Amino acid sequence: MDHKPAAFDPQGEMPDDMTSGRGNRLRGEIITIEDLDAFKALRRAWEELAAAAQDYSQCATYGFCEVAAARALAKSTPINIAMVYDDGGLLAIWPLAIHRKGLLRIAKGLTCGSGEEYGGPLVRGRADKEAVTAAVSAAMKAHADILEIVLVEEGSVLQEALDAAPQSWMLPLLPHRLGSLPGYAIRLRGIPRWEDFLATLPRSLRENLRRDLKRLNASGRTEIGWCTTVDDAEAVLTWLFANKRQWSQSRGLNTPYLEDDRLKDFFVALAGHTDLSSIPLVAFVKVNGVPVAASVNLVGKSCVEGFFTTYDDAFRLYSVGTLLVEFLVKWSHANDLDFDFRPLEGSYKARWANSETRHKTRIIFLSPRGRLAEFSLLAGHMSRLAAKVRKIIISGFAKVKARVA
C-alpha cells in the first residue's frame, strides 16, 4: 500500500493540515491501492467508520466496495482512496477507480458495473459541510485529470462542497435543469403506522393492490419475500438480469452493462459477502416457485434503494411489479427505513413518492489536461438541449393538430 499525499493546490484544495471549526486538525491524503490485500487491510477501520456514521448508502460500505475493487484490480484499473483524519481518527473515506479514456485519467466511484451508484464519501457521524468539503479536497488529490461524481443531489452538502471546486466555465451558462434527473423517495421514518402511510396513497392504487394480489393468488402458489440463501439469490439474479436484458433489447435500448453476466456476477459475489438474514439484497415475487418479478436493493443506514427491478411481461395484468414495490416499502417502514426509487422519471414512482429531488453528474477538473474534456462535455450538453427543443416542438405540433382535428 503506497501512501502518496499530493501537494497542496492553492486553487481550492485543502492543505494536508487544516484547522477544523470543531477545534480539530483535519488531514487529507490519497492512498494508492495496488492489490486486493492492500484494500483488505482497510476493512477494520472502514467498518468502524460505517458503524459510527449517521447515514450511508450500501454502495459506500466495505463489503460492496471490496467486491467492486476486486473487479477493478483484476482489470488493472488503479484505485485511489481519499482519506480524511481529525483528532478522533478516521473521519471520511472515499474510494475511487482511475479509468483511462484516451489521454484522460478519470476518477470515479467504485461500481458494480452500472456506474449508477450515488457518489460521495462515507463520513463518521454527521456528514456536515466541513467534513464533506475536507473529503472533496482529499479526493481532488487523486492521480487523475478529472473527478466525476454521479447523481449528486441538488441542494445537498455534497453539491455545496463541489461548487467550490474548479468546474467547467460553461456551467453557469447552461439551463439549470439541463442534464438533471428527477429523484423520487418515500420518507417513512416519521410515519408511526403502516396504515397511516397507506392512507396517503391514491384510493385507486390501494384498491388495485388488493385486487391484483387476490388475482395473483388465484393463479398459483404466490410468494413475495427476500432471498435468504446465496443459492436462491443467484437463481433469482440469473433470472432478473436475463429478463432485464431481453426487455432492454426488445425496446431497442443500448444498455452496455446488460449485455453480459458481469453485473449479475457482481451481485452474486456481493450476496456471498453479505449476511442476507440481516442485510437483504434480492427481493422477489414467485408463482409456483418461479420468479415473475425481482429486484436488487441496497440497504443502507437509513434508506433502502430500489437499484434494479424487472418483471415478467406475461404477468403484467397482475401488476407484479407494483406488488413487489408494496412489499419493499412495507418492509422498509417496519425496519424504520425510508425507500428511494432512485433518479429517473417514472409515473409509478410519483404515485408512491412523498419526496422529490433533482440530481446531476458533476465534473471537477484536477489538471490542465482535464480541461480537454470540456469539448466533449459541451457537445453532450448541446445534443441534450437540441433533443429537448425537438421534443417540445413535436409536442407543440401534436397539440395544434389535435385542436384542429
Side-chain angles (χ1 to χ4, degrees):
M1 186 161 60
D2 180 22
H3 290 252
K4 297 179 181 177
F8 170 54
D9 178 349
Q11 293 185 335
E13 288 198 36
M14 181 190 73
D16 286 341
D17 291 283
M18 179 178 180
T19 301
S20 160
R22 304 170 179 139
N24 294 330
R25 301 284 295 180
L26 300 186
R27 304 173 296 282
E29 67 175 350
I30 281 287
I31 293 178
T32 299
I33 298 293
E34 297 178 345
D35 57 54
L36 194 56
D37 285 340
F39 193 91
K40 289 180 177 180
L42 298 170
R43 177 171 187 164
R44 182 176 177 181
W46 200 314
E47 291 183 340
E48 288 176 353
L49 182 68
Q54 194 174 94
D55 196 15
Y56 57 74
S57 166
Q58 189 181 353
C59 65
T61 61
Y62 174 81
F64 187 101
C65 291
E66 184 195 315
V67 177
R71 292 160 62 91
L73 291 167
K75 295 187 293 183
S76 300
T77 301
I79 292 176
N80 284 186
I81 299 187
M83 305 182 78
V84 178
Y85 302 86
D86 65 5
D87 292 347
L90 183 60
L91 175 65
I93 193 166
W94 191 348
L96 301 164
I98 313 301
H99 300 269
R100 281 277 183 180
K101 186 175 182 181
L103 296 173
L104 297 175
R105 298 164 301 166
I106 305 174
K108 300 180 181 181
L110 289 175
T111 178
C112 63
S114 71
E116 296 173 355
E117 293 88 346
Y118 288 128
L122 174 66
V123 179
R124 188 185 74 229
R126 185 169 65 89
D128 58 20
K129 187 174 181 180
E130 181 181 41
V132 174
T133 298
V136 169
S137 297
M140 288 172 60
K141 298 171 184 177
H143 309 308
D145 303 301
I146 289 172
L147 173 62
E148 180 179 308
I149 312 100
V150 302
L151 300 177
V152 177
E153 183 180 337
E154 294 184 12
S156 66
V157 173
L158 179 57
Q159 185 215 314
E160 291 181 25
L162 292 170
D163 282 345
Q167 300 172 66
S168 172
W169 57 267
M170 72 178 89
L171 200 61
L173 306 178
L174 296 169
H176 176 66
R177 290 214 164 188
L178 186 65
S180 74
L181 294 171
Y184 301 89
I186 310 174
R187 306 303 177 199
L188 294 163
R189 287 181 292 164
I191 301 175
R193 299 186 311 142
W194 171 246
E195 291 75 17
D196 295 333
F197 170 70
L198 275 183
T200 68
L201 297 177
R203 181 178 177 181
S204 59
L205 176 57
R206 286 178 278 145
E207 291 175 349
N208 288 342
L209 284 167
R210 291 193 295 269
R211 182 200 65 200
D212 292 334
L213 181 58
K214 185 176 180 180
R215 292 173 62 234
L216 187 64
N217 284 328
S219 73
R221 179 171 52 87
T222 300
E223 303 169 75
I224 305 178
W226 292 105
C227 296
T228 56
T229 68
V230 176
D231 287 344
D232 191 27
E234 181 172 7
V236 174
L237 286 166
T238 299
W239 177 85
L240 187 161
F241 286 108
N243 192 72
K244 197 156 186 76
R245 183 183 305 144
Q246 183 181 34
W247 177 89
S248 178
Q249 290 172 345
S250 68
R251 287 158 177 78
L253 302 176
N254 179 27
T255 315
Y257 60 74
L258 291 176
E259 295 305 313
D260 54 45
D261 287 333
R262 283 177 291 181
L263 201 58
K264 182 262 292 183
D265 292 342
F266 175 94
F267 285 107
V268 170
L270 181 59
H273 280 66
T274 304
D275 179 3
L276 296 176
S277 64
S278 60
I279 307 175
L281 180 68
V282 184
F284 61 79
V285 177
K286 294 180 183 178
V287 175
N288 296 326
V290 178
V292 296
S295 62
V296 172
N297 304 275
L298 302 182
V299 179
K301 190 82 174 249
S302 65
C303 187
V304 177
E305 298 173 42
F307 204 63
F308 288 106
T309 188
T310 191
Y311 63 87
D312 186 339
D313 268 334
F315 285 80
R316 175 190 292 269
L317 294 178
Y318 298 96
S319 301
V320 287
T322 305
L323 292 173
L324 184 58
V325 168
E326 182 192 29
F327 165 77
L328 290 168
V329 175
K330 189 173 184 179
W331 185 90
S332 299
H333 179 268
N335 287 273
D336 197 28
L337 299 167
D338 295 329
F339 187 83
D340 184 356
F341 286 103
R342 294 184 47 81
L344 203 58
E345 198 156 4
S347 57
Y348 80 95
K349 298 179 181 181
R351 296 186 78 194
W352 284 89
N354 58 18
S355 174
E356 292 189 23
T357 49
R358 303 293 301 187
H359 301 257
K360 275 187 180 180
T361 293
R362 303 298 296 269
I363 303 294
I364 305 301
F365 298 105
L366 307 180
S367 74
R369 184 166 54 182
R371 294 282 176 182
L372 294 173
E374 292 208 79
F375 297 105
S376 60
L377 281 173
L378 179 59
H381 283 310
M382 294 306 295
S383 175
R384 283 190 289 272
L385 185 58
K388 193 167 187 177
V389 170
R390 190 161 52 246
K391 185 177 179 180
I392 292 171
I393 292 173
I394 291 172
S395 175
F397 275 126
K399 288 178 181 177
V400 170
K401 187 175 179 181
R403 287 197 195 100
V404 172

